[in-house]
Amino acid sequence: MNYKLNNRDILYNDAQLGPYPDHLLKRVDRITTKVPGPVKNRSQLESAASRANRGEYGENVAQERRRVIEKVPIGAALFEIRTNIKEINRLKKNPVATEKAPLPDNTRVMSRHLKSMGYFLGADLMGICEVPQGAVYTDDEFGNPIDVPYKYAVVFSKRKHLLTTLASTGHDWIFDSTSHQVYQLLAVWSDTMANYIRRLGYEAEVSNMRNYITLMTPLILAAGLGEVSRLGIALNPFFGANFKAAAVLTNLPLLPDKPIDFGLQEYCSKCKICADQCIVGAISTKDKELYNGYMTWLLDAKKCAIYNSINKIGSVCGHCTRICPWNRPHTDPCDFKDWDGDIKRLFVDADARAAYLREHNFRDELEDTHKWWIDLEEIDGRLVIPKSTKYGVIS
Ligand code: SF4
Ligand code: SF4
């Protein structure tokens, strides 16, 4: 239906939609990772996490993996609420309306409308892409085939709580909960948008935590929400790799965003902080290599998954994202209020953070003052003070 909506300039102009000025980033026609191909669709069963769950890395790893969420009560609470919400959504999924809503026949307007809805719900960055070849899993973790007949992905990203991540070591008794806090929000937001799109008369499915039917990194790259980093995951110029993402997949006609290029490929080729600081040496110090059709830095996913399972000084690990210099203070939206798109300023900030980290043995001063959580570990149904905790005086 070709009509113009009154009083809704924001849907037609180029103004910034969300909290971060991503409209000022350089856009390019292709992602900054070279893809000589061929890219093969993967099964979730091939992931290191799935292999660890199934005992391929030893029974001890599998046993620890099974309790990895339950063992920290804040993370377990976040996870349980999210699971309950998802279960209700799964059982009471609303049908696709039989009649299509009278929407503007303008893919740019509809794209800005859905991205604005994502920001209304609480996202930090939103992007839209066509679902890239190879991004959809062939099977879920139980071996059930996944069928995703959708052309577009609306991608949500949400930064993890900055002060908590800065006060954390990245592999202690809070860091995994910083992920679950965001996974829970992303699940609610993406399920809400999928429900809305079905009300408009179009099919829509979600790809979110415990229901990831797509890899997220190819979607994040294609939707212009980040570039691939040495970590093997996407990193964006505003809050580094300190975020999680989810997507709504649909055939509602949309206008894809373009990928971004802020110079991360060159930065990561020289930086290597994450590789030097990874506890188990899982991050490559070498140049990029070919992996499933992508030229990228190779992560030893097995080493990483094993440490994530058996970490005895906390739960899971995200130490590399925590100490990456792009995860830095003063990255709230208000800190970019006067930013004019000059990417050099962001490099100055990342360099300053790298220098600070080197000078302070890769610790943040907030580690001494801002640990608001209480270290607790669930063992055999009881919560105890973990043996590895670094409480001060216990009276
Ligand atoms: S620590 Fe350095 S090399 Fe590693 S992802 Fe961050 S910027 Fe790239
Ligand atoms: S999550 Fe931990 S173990 Fe895995 S690559 Fe990062 S620092 Fe290494």
Side-chain angles (χ1 to χ4, degrees), residues 143-199:
N144 303 313
I146 291 175
D147 182 26
V148 179
Y150 300 110
K151 186 171 181 187
Y152 301 104
V154 183
V155 187
F156 295 67
S157 74
K158 175 71 182 163
R159 180 174 73 166
K160 299 203 267 181
H161 191 253
L162 180 64
L163 285 181
T164 305
T165 60
L166 293 178
S168 162
T169 62
H171 50 132
D172 52 14
W173 298 97
I174 194 64
F175 205 79
D176 192 31
S177 302
T178 66
S179 298
H180 286 293
Q181 185 250 349
V182 174
Y183 283 138
Q184 188 194 77
L185 295 172
L186 288 167
V188 172
W189 301 341
S190 50
D191 270 322
T192 302
M193 186 177 285
N195 183 307
Y196 170 61
I197 292 174
R198 291 192 290 266
R199 287 168 194 270

Side-chain angles (χ1 to χ4, degrees), residues 26-36 218 220-224 226-228 257-262 265 294:
K26 179 180 159 191
R27 299 280 166 170
V28 288
D29 289 334
R30 270 188 281 280
I31 62 171
T32 54
T33 302
K34 291 200 170 62
V35 190
I220 293 168
L221 303 184
E227 288 187 58
V228 159
D257 291 298
K258 284 185 167 188
I260 57 170
D261 179 357
F262 63 98
Q265 304 313 294
Y294 286 80

Side-chain angles (χ1 to χ4, degrees), residues 277-280 282-283 299 303-304 307-308 317-321:
Q277 294 299 313
C278 171
I279 295 98
V280 292
I283 301 173
L299 177 76
K303 275 189 188 169
C304 177
Y307 182 68
N308 268 265
C317 178
H319 185 58
C320 47
T321 59

Side-chain angles (χ1 to χ4, degrees), residues 228-233 235 241 264 267-275 283 297 320 323-327 350:
V228 159
S229 67
R230 185 176 287 279
L231 303 168
I233 55 176
L235 188 158
L264 186 69
Y267 196 92
C268 280
S269 69
K270 294 180 186 145
C271 169
K272 301 186 185 172
I273 284 176
C274 53
I283 301 173
W297 292 286
C320 47
I323 49 89
C324 170
W326 289 87
N327 179 36

